[in-house]
């Protein structure tokens, strides 16, 4: 997850690949594959920024700057967690004159806000794990880290005319997803790149038997829809559907790996809608897809919850390249690799 000489070498090799394959460098960020790779590189920059802080690497010894400088960005300022003073995010500003490529196309963002995931080393570990737990309890919206993130985004959006990218990996993608939803509720649709975003549910996608998997998903939809009506009531459910439908214009880019149990459930979440529509149960599924059992049970006992992972639309890219282990399947590094086997599909919610 963190920066190293090896990772920087791979990064430089990928940059050379761009130079060799694009005669017109003005079009680099018009290419979705390179948008993905640049976004992943800027998320990696945040990981390395935090490791630089932990290891007291400064000046010429710092390893983070190459991850943004090549693409013509500068570090506007890091985002600091008030609980442990760790770097959990960063705001990067496009700075064309400093770019060795000197490009900025219409697809180039004026600014990028990137968020790292959990680092299993150093003094940020306990804080990161506590926030991971808040995801499971659907309470990320109540954390100071999220409040710092959304305040920064709200302040920057008018300055850059909403020409902003949100990027995150793992825990950081949960922050970016929830922030993107909050902005979309206000009618501000930001380009969002979410790498290995957590999905809070039972790992049904890992079941190999397709019939068993389908049966469990249908049963889950029936249970979720019934709980939603019982806990929320018909009028609240109707209002929630209107809000969910309004969010459907926001289409974040999700990047998931089926071998990563943390994010793989997004595959079933979206594909199950198509199945339920095919069997004539689309109304039931529209209700089920807006709620999760865990969140409904918390609401039933009077605990506020806000499941961040329930989104109406997405452009989902699945990495089908075999992963050697979970670490590789969940890692940010896979998303700028040159030998990916990717499958992309656009999912639009129809309320």
């Amino acid at each position: 997850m963190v920066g190293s000489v090896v990772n920087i070498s791979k990064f430089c090799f990928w940059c050379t690949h761009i130079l060799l394959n694009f005669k017109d460098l003005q079009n680099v960020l018009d290419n979705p594959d390179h948008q993905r790779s640049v976004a992943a590189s800027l998320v990696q920059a945040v990981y390395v920024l935090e490791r630089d802080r932990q290891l007291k690497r400064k000046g010429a010894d710092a390893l983070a700057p190459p991850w943004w400088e090549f693409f013509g960005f500068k570090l506007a300022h890091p985002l600091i967690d008030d609980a442990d003073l760790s770097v959990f995010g960063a705001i990067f500003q496009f700075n064309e004159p400093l770019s060795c490529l000197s490009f900025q196309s219409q697809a180039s963002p004026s600014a990028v806000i990137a968020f790292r995931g959990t680092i299993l080393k150093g003094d940020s570990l306990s804080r990161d794990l506590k926030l991971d737990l808040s995801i499971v309890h659907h309470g990320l919206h109540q954390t100071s880290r999220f409040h710092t993130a959304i305040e920064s985004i709200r302040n920057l959006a008018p300055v850059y005319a909403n020409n902003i990218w949100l990027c995150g990996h793992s825990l950081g993608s949960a922050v970016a997803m929830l922030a993107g939803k909050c902005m979309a509720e206000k009618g501000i649709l930001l380009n969002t790149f979410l790498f290995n975003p957590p999905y809070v549910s039972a790992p049904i996608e890992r079941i190999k038997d397709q019939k068993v998997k389908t049966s469990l998903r249908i049963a889950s939809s029936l249970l979720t829809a019934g709980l939603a009506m019982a806990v929320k009531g018909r009028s609240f459910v109707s209002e929630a559907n209107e809000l969910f439908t309004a969010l459907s214009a926001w289409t974040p880019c999700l990047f998931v790996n089926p071998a990563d149990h943390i994010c793989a459930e997004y595959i079933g979440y979206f594909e199950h809608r198509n199945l339920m529509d095919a069997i004539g149960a689309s109304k039931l599924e529209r209700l089920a897809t807006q709620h999760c059992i865990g969140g409904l049970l918390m609401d039933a006992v009077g605990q506020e919850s806000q499941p961040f992972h329930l989104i109406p639309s997405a452009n989902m890219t699945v990495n089908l390249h075999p992963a050697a282990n979970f670490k590789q399947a969940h890692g940010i590094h896979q998303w700028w690799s040159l030998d990916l086997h990717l499958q992309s599909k656009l999912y639009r919610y129809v309320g």
Side-chain angles (χ1 to χ4, degrees):
M1 266 197 236
V2 298
S4 67
V5 174
V6 174
N7 289 331
I8 291 178
S9 297
K10 291 180 179 179
F11 167 75
C12 292
F13 176 75
W14 174 77
C15 291
T16 301
H17 174 76
I18 292 180
L19 291 172
L20 292 175
N21 287 276
F22 282 82
K23 295 180 180 180
D24 182 5
L25 294 176
Q26 297 291 329
N27 294 324
V28 169
L29 282 183
D30 289 323
N31 182 288
D33 288 333
H34 290 93
Q35 289 181 1
R36 180 194 74 243
S37 300
V38 171
S41 297
L42 293 177
V43 172
Q44 173 69 0
V46 183
Y47 276 113
V48 186
L49 271 171
E50 170 56 14
R51 288 297 284 163
D52 281 349
R53 183 196 69 85
Q54 293 179 3
L55 299 175
K56 295 180 170 56
R57 297 187 300 231
K58 299 179 180 180
D61 295 326
L63 298 181
W67 292 95
W68 64 76
E69 288 179 346
F70 178 85
F71 301 106
F73 288 92
K74 67 178 182 180
L75 177 64
H77 65 82
L79 299 178
I80 308 299
D81 191 305
D82 62 357
D84 63 356
L85 302 182
S86 65
V87 179
F88 75 89
I91 299 172
F92 301 102
Q93 182 180 7
F94 193 84
N95 192 39
E96 185 178 0
L98 296 182
S99 172
C100 64
L101 298 180
S102 295
F103 68 84
Q104 184 172 24
S105 69
Q106 291 182 347
S108 301
S110 297
V112 175
I113 306 177
F115 305 98
R116 66 167 175 84
T118 303
I119 293 183
L120 300 177
K121 297 179 180 179
D123 55 8
S124 64
L125 174 59
S126 61
R127 174 62 170 167
D128 287 352
L129 292 179
K130 184 177 181 179
L131 288 161
D132 289 335
L133 189 60
S134 75
I135 289 177
V136 177
H137 293 159
H138 308 295
L140 184 63
H141 64 292
Q142 297 175 323
T143 65
S144 61
R145 184 177 290 191
F146 173 72
H147 291 159
T148 299
I150 191 63
E151 182 180 2
S152 298
I153 294 168
R154 286 170 176 163
N155 290 338
L156 285 175
V159 174
Y160 294 106
N162 302 332
N163 185 23
I164 295 173
W165 284 6
L166 299 184
C167 311
H169 174 247
S170 193
L171 169 60
S173 67
V175 174
M177 182 181 292
L178 184 55
K181 285 179 69 174
C182 290
M183 298 301 289
E185 288 176 1
K186 303 297 183 181
I188 300 174
L189 310 180
L190 301 179
N191 289 329
T192 307
F193 300 82
L194 306 169
F195 301 97
N196 302 83
Y199 190 98
V200 185
S201 78
I204 299 176
E205 193 62 28
R206 300 184 69 184
I207 298 173
K208 301 300 181 182
D209 190 308
Q210 187 61 46
K211 290 184 178 179
V212 173
K213 183 159 55 175
T214 299
S215 297
L216 285 174
R217 290 199 185 283
I218 293 175
S220 178
S221 292
L222 288 169
L223 177 59
T224 303
L227 276 175
M229 291 299 295
V231 174
K232 299 288 190 177
R234 186 175 299 275
S235 61
F236 186 91
V237 165
S238 178
E239 292 175 4
N241 181 62
E242 291 180 6
L243 176 59
F244 205 70
T245 302
L247 286 175
S248 63
W250 177 58
T251 312
C253 297
L254 269 60
F255 301 94
V256 303
N257 190 311
D260 174 13
H261 63 269
I262 291 177
C263 68
E265 197 59 28
Y266 279 102
I267 299 172
Y269 173 73
F270 285 107
E271 280 298 309
H272 186 59
R273 290 185 192 173
N274 294 340
L275 171 64
M276 295 295 275
D277 184 57
I279 64 175
S282 57
K283 290 184 178 180
L284 171 69
E285 185 56 24
R286 281 198 294 271
L287 177 57
T289 199
Q290 300 171 39
H291 302 88
C292 67
I293 295 175
L296 289 169
L297 291 176
M298 291 183 67
D299 291 339
V301 298
Q303 296 186 28
E304 182 188 356
S305 69
Q306 187 173 335
F308 73 92
H309 62 287
L310 303 177
I311 55 176
S313 304
N315 189 351
M316 186 167 65
T317 298
V318 179
N319 180 11
L320 298 176
H321 187 80
N325 48 47
F326 167 74
K327 182 179 180 181
Q328 186 182 82
H330 187 65
I332 186 68
H333 307 134
Q334 66 185 291
W335 299 110
W336 61 72
S337 175
L338 301 179
D339 59 350
L340 295 179
H341 177 196
L342 302 180
Q343 186 177 78
S344 297
K345 188 172 182 179
L346 176 63
Y347 296 89
R348 288 283 191 186
Y349 178 80
V350 180

